[in-house]
Amino acid sequence: MDYQFKEIEQKWQKHWAENQTFKADSKSDKPKYYVLDMFPYPSGAGLHVGHPLGYIASDVFSRYKRLKGFNVLHPMGYDSFGLPAEQYAIQTGQHPAVTTKANIDTYRRQLDQIGFSFDWSKEVRTSDAEYYKWTQWIFMRLFNSWYNLETDKAEDISTLIEKFNASGSAGIRAVCDEDTQSFLPSDWANFTSEEKQAELLKYRLTYLKESTVNWCPALGTVLANDEVIGGFSERGGYPVEQKKMMQWSMRITAYADRLLRGLDTIDWPEPIKEMQRNWIGKSVGASVKFKIERPKTEDGSLMIENHHSEDKTSDIGHQALDYIEVFTTRVDTIFGVSYLVLAPEHEWVAELTTDEQRPAIENYIAQTKKKSELDRMADTKTVSGAFTGSYVINPANNERLPLWIADYVLAGYGTGAVMGVPSGDQRDFAFATHFNLPIIQVSDAQKNLDQQADPTKEGKYINSGFINGLNYKEAVAKLNNWLEEEGIGKAKVNYRMRDAIFGRQRYWGEPIPVYFKDGLPYLIQEEELPLVLPEIDKYLPTETGEPPLGRAENWKYHGKYEYELSTMPGWAGSSWYWYRYMDAQNHKEFVSKEAVNYWKDVDLYIGGSEHATGHLLYSRFWNKFLKDLGLVQEEEPFKKLINQGMIQGRSNFVYRLVDEEGKATNTFVSAGLRNEYKTITLHVDVNIVENDVLNVDKFKAWRDEYANAEFILENGKYICGVEVEKMSKSKYNVVNPDVLIAQYGADTFRMYEMFLGPLEQSKPWNTNGIEGVFKFLRKFWRLFHNDAWEFSVVDAEPSKAELKALHKIIKKVQDDVERFSFNTSVSSFMIAVNELTDLKCKNRSILQDLVIVLSPYAPHICEELWSLLGNAAGTLSYAAYPVFNAAYLVEDEFAYPISINGKMKMNLNLALTLDEQQVREAVLSNTQIQGYLEDKEPKKIIFVKGKIVNIVV
RNA sequence: GCUCAGAUGGUGGAACUGGUAGACACGCAGGACUUAAAAUCCUGUGCCCUCAACAGGCGUGCGGGUUCGAUUCCCGCUCUGAGUACCA
């Protein structure tokens, strides 16, 4: 029978499903291997050809690892909470659970027909209560934990309470809010229960706090920093503004350093690690307090006196009005400070502005506000700022320094205040030059200070008081000691990363298992989990502006306490899902100890690089937290990460002729001739174009208006224009895998996706070569059949040539798969099949081994041939990968390329046993080579055994 | 601006540690089979010169360098893509 892919593929997909062929047991003598794909968000559009690329690669790898004797866990599931389903619900009134389920069904059908070896018994859906119960449970663990810097890990909140009981707040080294109180054990004992709760909240790893958030009015929710790109929402591209709100946050900053250090221990692509490093943004430096010289009124009395004495924030307020604290990475240049700058949004600007300067300052703030976030970031050239009228004192030399505001200082980083050192920092230099502030040289190695700043750390310090003559290292050490002793600062590490906002004012997400009593948050009881998402009438905020959950009727804890109305963000469910896969059916724990002890971590994780600073960072954070609590084994969740490239769309165009008046006609010009006419360019559905040739009949049928279209052809064909763009519906360049699978089968589709090029490289989708892959599989099938398409193999001793072809491919595939070079394997399979076809190989043992080697790529056809070869049905997946024997590849002769002065001239067959002297003689006595040499005396002969002979004349 | 990745025939790409550049496939051209077409099979196919063969010249973004020998290593530049953006 000819190669009938449809029957074969259906048959084996059914067999694998019915026999649970890929079910992975958590108990096995085999070594474990965990291959994970980034699970998809099931969108309404279904899968396009770009989605399965990574899944195919990971499936090839999983199947290969099984053949190599590993117990492989290769699961799949759905990240099924999220905005699109909710937006759709708002538009149509359909419950997101309903549309999500329908989308999942489509995804499942599409995934199934590609023949993946997923263990579906371990499927997870983040929107299932059985799943999000454990997401809520982990939230509760975070709420009940604090970060102890003493032990450098998270601990149960009870250990903090013990410390408070024993010694009060003294000696506590924790990652916490800035406004924690100092108290004695006796104070703690006298605190009311509410006061205790309020204080503990400042230490919890997930906490409620008034903070400036990214508010997206169009989406009606706050967004995390990684969900905002250049001032616009990542999803939908809506404007985002800053707003103060009471918000749940995750104290990811507690893990900043561990997240940074961990990067050195994992095998991830360097760009991703670099992005995480930048995101964490560690800077080592010092904080320094500059005393404020109060602006004085004309009669000499202090203008600002004991401000805000009745203000709630009086503690901060008082300190603030004594000092301005700056963070600097160059404390060694402190003697070069000639001014101080605050961010325009800095909360004390108004109070530190003198009456005289008030108009200028207010004008400047108004100007800055007008500039959008984007303008402000884009325009880094223009120098701007305004003088407050106040002065501060440089603690190093008691110099009086003017206090400015400028928008090059960001409120959100460090303390929102900067010391200006024009000689050492280019921005400060530009500022000082523009406003005529002094530029003070601080090192004898600084050059060209009339032109630009010189940030050198070389040389000895000058003009720098007590650090004069010291080098960089000595100066920093001395200054840091001095700051500490004087109590005006200290060595400090600053991170760019902020705590992660954890609440979303949306419906379709995990409810936060918290209720409020007297304005304070409390966890619900663990036995009450899951806190199920309540039904609501419509998926919009309430009239009073509360999140959609505010619509739920009678939704109160124990009938009387308000629940938290925000839901968790999209990344909650995906920050631990790889553990749930290990033990997906467990009703008692999020994962059993046995399962974690066996599977430990993910050995190979394949997914897109767009999750670099979102999912991949949050997952590492939760993983470290779970490790601190002893719930999991490994410090890092994903040992090796591969980013598959993006599949871009390849759009096709037709050129519609335009008449004299500029009106569109019904005539279309082939791409090569379009310059001779006046035309307009239109997208055409790529599914009616083959190899850039338009199927004109299908084009006429595509739309009514084209029914009578006429064509100006070249060589009898209509050639379409081509451009690479994002794959999207509106560009008519979306290719659905279903179509290709129906036409060529899953095995061809899998191999073609791999054949396209290196996995990590982005590339446009192009079906031009798929015929070649299909022809290859047919040729492979024919190896096992005679001319009448009858199955026919022979039992005989394989020939040397057959063994050589086989062992070449055994080695090649093994090498390629281990280094994730899947495209090169496909070419090599073609070579192997071409060679065996030429050899007219019908040898059973050779072909059987070839079936095993090819099976990770084309599992259906191989499973069919495996059973035709007489093996038990469906056992191929656990066959043993053939053992490579180098002896079969040994050659006794090699066609040496002979080059003269590095230019290849000819090949010469020589025995590989010959040594350098013998080769030299053979080469020089060859008449053809003598002809090339033209009697010139060879100066030198380079000989590399088995590689090359190079004659230098 | 900074960081990273990349640039090889008409196309996708191969060449793994410096050793025959262009494997494999697509496309194209020619041929076989066919009444014809499709499918299939065979042959050719980097560019230039040449009727053609032989021979030759040029060729891995550009310009240099190291080397017997460079797509591979080093220096400088151009372009493309991605990330990031006044982070003190």
Side-chain angles (χ1 to χ4, degrees):
Chain A
M1 219 192 335
D2 197 351
Y3 172 40
Q4 301 290 337
F5 60 84
K6 210 162 269 178
E7 284 167 31
I8 292 172
E9 291 177 0
Q10 278 170 8
K11 171 177 165 189
W12 292 108
Q13 282 166 12
K14 192 158 165 255
H15 181 99
W16 295 330
E18 283 170 357
N19 294 278
Q20 299 212 51
T21 304
F22 305 111
K23 191 162 180 200
D25 202 332
S26 299
K27 283 189 208 92
S28 170
D29 301 333
K30 293 179 186 174
K32 71 101 184 183
Y33 202 93
Y34 188 171
V35 181
L36 182 67
D37 292 292
M38 287 187 187
F39 62 168
Y41 174 81
S43 82
L47 289 176
H48 68 62
V49 290
H51 294 116
L53 181 71
Y55 303 158
I56 294 170
S58 67
D59 197 60
V60 169
F61 200 83
S62 301
R63 287 176 179 271
Y64 169 80
K65 277 287 177 186
R66 281 190 203 100
L67 298 176
K68 280 285 190 177
F70 286 84
N71 184 29
V72 174
L73 176 58
H74 185 38
M76 182 48 79
Y78 307 95
D79 189 14
S80 46
F81 271 135
L83 274 182
E86 185 165 348
Q87 294 292 75
Y88 191 71
I90 291 169
Q91 285 161 29
T92 64
Q94 278 199 76
H95 197 289
V98 175
T99 50
T100 300
K101 175 157 190 321
N103 293 348
I104 287 177
D105 291 344
T106 304
Y107 268 59
R108 178 62 191 271
R109 182 186 58 74
Q110 289 187 296
L111 290 170
D112 277 347
Q113 63 181 2
I114 302 174
F116 291 123
S117 63
F118 291 132
D119 176 357
W120 284 108
S121 74
K122 299 190 171 63
E123 183 201 291
V124 302
R125 302 178 183 193
T126 56
S127 59
D128 273 2
E130 218 10 75
Y131 180 90
Y132 69 68
K133 169 182 176 179
W134 299 108
T135 310
Q136 293 172 331
W137 184 82
I138 293 170
F139 175 91
M140 291 169 75
R141 297 278 78 70
L142 283 153
F143 185 87
N144 273 333
S145 301
W146 67 295
Y147 201 90
N148 187 350
L149 286 167
E150 213 71 57
T151 54
D152 197 23
K153 59 185 218 175
E155 293 180 11
D156 195 273
I157 199 81
S158 60
T159 66
L160 181 65
I161 296 171
E162 278 167 32
K163 281 171 191 283
F164 285 165
N165 283 331
S167 45
S169 64
I172 302 272
R173 287 183 58 220
V175 180
C176 55
D177 291 356
E178 283 155 21
D179 58 345
T180 53
Q181 299 179 44
S182 299
F183 52 81
L184 298 169
S186 53
D187 299 331
W188 177 253
N190 288 329
F191 277 7
T192 64
S193 151
E194 283 75 21
E195 283 169 335
K196 284 181 178 170
Q197 282 306 319
E199 191 61 18
L200 286 173
L201 193 55
K202 299 172 186 173
Y203 291 84
R204 298 181 187 276
L205 285 183
T206 181
Y207 60 100
L208 201 53
K209 203 189 171 203
E210 165 127 299
S211 44
T212 310
V213 298
N214 304 301
W215 173 253
C216 180
L219 294 174
T221 188
V222 304
L223 298 171
N225 288 341
D226 65 282
E227 292 168 320
V228 181
I229 294 163
F232 293 90
S233 65
E234 184 191 21
R235 280 195 184 272
Y238 303 109
V240 172
E241 54 195 50
Q242 302 299 302
K243 190 174 167 181
K244 281 216 178 235
M245 272 179 87
M246 211 48 162
Q247 273 302 317
W248 284 99
S249 282
M250 287 277 164
R251 226 178 277 284
I252 188 173
T253 49
Y255 288 87
D257 209 52
R258 277 167 69 185
L259 288 168
L260 195 62
R261 278 183 279 134
L263 290 173
D264 297 331
T265 68
I266 47 183
D267 183 6
W268 285 21
E270 204 47 50
I272 297 280
K273 290 200 205 178
E274 199 57 30
M275 279 160 81
Q276 292 210 346
R277 284 192 195 104
N278 290 339
W279 189 262
I280 296 165
K282 181 179 182 174
S283 313
V284 180
S287 70
V288 184
K289 288 176 182 167
F290 286 72
K291 197 172 185 0
I292 295 166
E293 190 188 86
R294 298 284 175 76
K296 295 192 173 138
T297 52
E298 273 167 31
D299 63 0
S301 69
L302 280 177
M303 193 178 78
I304 304 163
E305 260 182 289
N306 292 335
H307 244 64
H308 302 300
S309 47
E310 54 290 273
D311 193 299
K312 274 179 282 184
T313 57
S314 61
D315 262 10
I316 317 171
H318 269 297
Q319 278 171 5
L321 289 166
D322 283 339
Y323 297 101
I324 288 172
E325 190 174 333
V326 303
F327 173 73
T328 176
T329 53
R330 291 299 301 272
V331 69
D332 57 307
T333 63
I334 192 164
F335 288 92
V337 180
S338 53
Y339 62 98
L340 233 65
V341 205
L342 299 179
E345 302 90 338
H346 200 285
E347 47 185 325
W348 313 324
V349 168
E351 294 155 40
L352 292 171
T353 301
T354 59
D355 289 341
E356 198 184 336
Q357 289 300 111
R358 198 166 300 278
I361 289 288
E362 280 171 359
N363 181 34
Y364 182 69
I365 291 171
Q367 264 180 38
T368 340
K369 271 200 181 138
K370 250 190 276 168
K371 272 201 246 176
S372 73
E373 186 95 354
L374 213 62
D375 295 337
R376 192 166 152 180
M377 284 191 291
D379 179 22
T380 60
K381 297 247 154 56
T382 323
V383 178
S384 68
F387 177 46
T388 60
S390 289
Y391 290 84
V392 296
I393 304 299
N394 185 341
N397 54 11
N398 291 320
E399 287 284 328
R400 189 163 173 263
L401 306 170
L403 180 66
W404 287 66
I405 63 168
D407 67 2
Y408 81 91
V409 178
L410 305 177
Y413 182 76
T415 56
V418 167
M419 60 182 217
V421 184
S423 68
D425 182 289
Q426 189 52 39
R427 290 175 321 243
D428 296 346
F429 182 90
F431 192 82
T433 315
H434 190 263
F435 291 111
N436 233 343
L437 294 158
I439 296 165
I440 305 156
Q441 185 171 3
V442 290
S443 159
D444 59 9
Q446 283 177 314
K447 289 193 209 83
N448 300 329
L449 286 181
D450 50 334
Q451 308 281 320
Q452 59 189 14
D454 184 350
T456 182
K457 292 174 184 172
E458 304 297 314
K460 307 270 191 242
Y461 291 93
I462 56 171
N463 302 327
S464 294
F466 58 85
I467 60 164
N468 274 336
L470 299 184
N471 67 25
Y472 174 75
K473 254 185 130 167
E474 296 162 346
V476 170
K478 187 160 185 179
L479 283 163
N480 282 341
N481 274 334
W482 168 76
L483 287 171
E484 190 99 31
E485 276 166 22
E486 298 287 317
I488 47 173
K490 59 180 179 207
K492 194 178 173 186
V493 175
N494 211 26
Y495 295 93
R496 195 181 84 108
M497 183 168 67
R498 311 277 85 188
D499 277 347
I501 305 289
F502 195 70
R504 296 292 180 274
Q505 289 62 51
R506 303 294 299 210
Y507 174 71
W508 193 230
E510 301 86 348
I512 292 174
V514 160
Y515 67 92
F516 288 89
K517 195 166 102 185
D518 301 324
L520 284 168
Y522 295 89
L523 292 178
I524 67 171
Q525 295 300 304
E526 208 170 300
E527 309 81 71
E528 291 163 344
L529 289 176
L531 174 58
V532 178
L533 193 59
E535 297 299 318
I536 56 175
D537 55 346
K538 52 183 169 181
Y539 307 96
L540 289 170
T542 64
E543 279 70 25
T544 52
E546 286 185 314
L549 285 189
R551 294 179 174 274
E553 276 177 50
N554 303 321
W555 194 54
K556 288 216 162 76
Y557 183 64
H558 291 177
K560 55 180 182 186
Y561 300 113
E562 290 291 341
Y563 277 119
E564 168 61 50
L565 297 180
S566 297
T567 51
M568 297 188 196
W571 56 268
S574 60
S575 294
W576 69 280
Y577 75 114
W578 64 97
Y579 285 118
R580 190 62 185 168
Y581 278 142
M582 295 174 183
D583 195 11
Q585 311 294 335
N586 193 330
H587 299 296
K588 296 200 287 283
E589 302 156 281
F590 80 105
V591 59
S592 70
K593 269 263 179 297
E594 300 77 60
V596 170
N597 287 349
Y598 180 74
W599 294 111
K600 291 193 172 67
D601 56 5
V602 174
D603 295 281
L604 173 66
Y605 195 17
I606 297 188
S609 58
E610 65 271 22
H611 300 107
T613 51
H615 162 61
L616 287 171
L617 198 59
Y618 296 131
S619 293
R620 294 181 60 222
F621 159 42
W622 279 30
N623 189 79
K624 286 175 195 298
F625 168 72
L626 294 171
K627 164 115 193 299
D628 286 351
L629 264 52
L631 297 168
V632 306
Q633 301 261 311
E634 302 293 325
E635 175 79 7
E636 289 290 340
F638 316 124
K639 270 210 278 270
K640 176 159 184 75
L641 175 74
I642 301 251
N643 291 127
Q644 89 269 21
M646 250 220 320
I647 299 272
Q648 294 143 317
R650 190 174 181 281
S651 305
N652 278 117
F653 298 93
V654 291
Y655 303 93
R656 187 177 208 165
L657 195 66
V658 175
D659 66 16
E660 303 285 294
E661 291 132 46
K663 244 180 77 189
T665 68
N666 218 5
T667 304
F668 295 84
V669 186
S670 186
L673 306 171
R674 77 188 137 113
N675 290 334
E676 299 164 29
Y677 301 87
K678 203 172 152 195
T679 59
I680 50 169
T681 305
L682 300 168
H683 274 95
V684 62
D685 190 338
V686 293
N687 295 298
I688 59 171
V689 178
E690 202 171 330
N691 288 333
D692 296 330
V693 176
L694 180 71
N695 182 321
V696 293
D697 293 326
K698 283 186 185 168
F699 180 74
K700 287 179 182 175
W702 186 36
R703 282 193 189 154
D704 289 346
E705 57 167 322
Y706 301 147
N708 300 313
E710 288 173 22
F711 302 92
I712 299 174
L713 306 176
E714 44 187 326
N715 305 323
K717 287 172 182 166
Y718 188 97
I719 311 290
C720 295
V722 178
E723 214 171 290
V724 173
E725 302 178 288
K726 213 185 138 161
M727 204 173 264
S728 94
K729 253 186 188 168
S730 64
K731 298 187 166 79
Y732 300 105
N733 61 5
V734 175
V735 183
N736 186 321
D738 301 15
V739 179
L740 292 165
I741 288 168
Q743 202 175 344
Y744 299 102
D747 285 335
T748 298
F749 179 71
R750 290 167 62 106
M751 286 198 90
Y752 183 61
E753 288 238 353
M754 294 296 96
F755 186 57
L756 225 46
L759 179 64
E760 278 128 307
Q761 213 169 293
S762 284
K763 53 228 154 192
W765 178 257
N766 185 340
T767 14
N768 284 351
I770 198 166
E771 289 277 351
V773 174
F774 181 72
K775 277 194 238 170
F776 154 76
L777 281 178
R778 214 165 154 240
K779 203 166 177 183
F780 172 67
W781 178 259
R782 211 163 47 197
L783 273 180
F784 299 76
H785 294 79
N786 59 24
D787 292 342
W789 288 110
E790 291 158 343
F791 185 79
S792 147
V793 294
V794 297
D795 292 286
E797 271 305 301
S799 74
K800 226 180 134 187
E802 288 169 339
L803 283 166
K804 189 178 163 191
L806 174 68
H807 282 262
K808 243 169 41 184
I809 190 71
I810 292 172
K811 170 119 178 38
K812 178 71 175 157
V813 169
Q814 169 172 301
D815 290 351
D816 284 355
V817 173
E818 305 273 0
R819 66 191 170 102
F820 309 98
S821 175
F822 301 103
N823 56 323
T824 48
S825 290
V826 179
S827 301
S828 303
F829 282 126
M830 292 174 174
I831 295 170
V833 167
N834 288 346
E835 282 173 355
L836 292 173
T837 302
D838 290 345
L839 290 168
K840 306 210 164 26
C841 174
K842 289 268 174 264
N843 189 286
R844 178 187 294 274
S845 69
I846 297 283
L847 295 180
Q848 173 145 321
D849 277 354
L850 183 61
V851 163
I852 301 173
V853 177
L854 179 63
S855 65
Y857 288 82
H860 309 88
I861 189 174
C862 288
E863 193 83 81
E864 178 71 14
L865 290 168
W866 179 253
S867 73
L868 285 173
L869 283 163
N871 298 289
T875 56
L876 175 58
S877 302
Y878 295 95
Y881 193 86
V883 178
F884 169 65
N885 185 346
Y888 294 122
L889 300 194
V890 172
E891 302 266 359
D892 29 315
E893 234 185 31
F894 178 68
Y896 277 98
I898 312 294
S899 38
I900 295 172
N901 288 338
K903 293 251 180 226
M904 213 280 280
K905 294 292 177 185
M906 59 174 286
N907 287 95
L908 185 63
N909 265 322
L910 294 169
L912 276 162
T913 47
L914 298 186
D915 65 17
E916 178 156 8
Q917 191 52 38
Q918 291 166 309
V919 168
R920 202 185 165 96
E921 282 163 22
V923 167
L924 290 177
S925 61
N926 182 289
T927 48
Q928 205 181 333
I929 292 165
Q930 285 167 354
Y932 284 119
L933 287 174
E934 297 165 347
D935 294 334
K936 276 178 251 168
E937 192 55 35
K939 258 192 226 152
K940 197 174 168 189
I941 294 178
I942 312 286
F943 170 73
V944 183
K945 195 166 192 167
K947 293 264 179 181
I948 201 163
V949 177
N950 188 16
I951 305 168
V952 187
V953 293

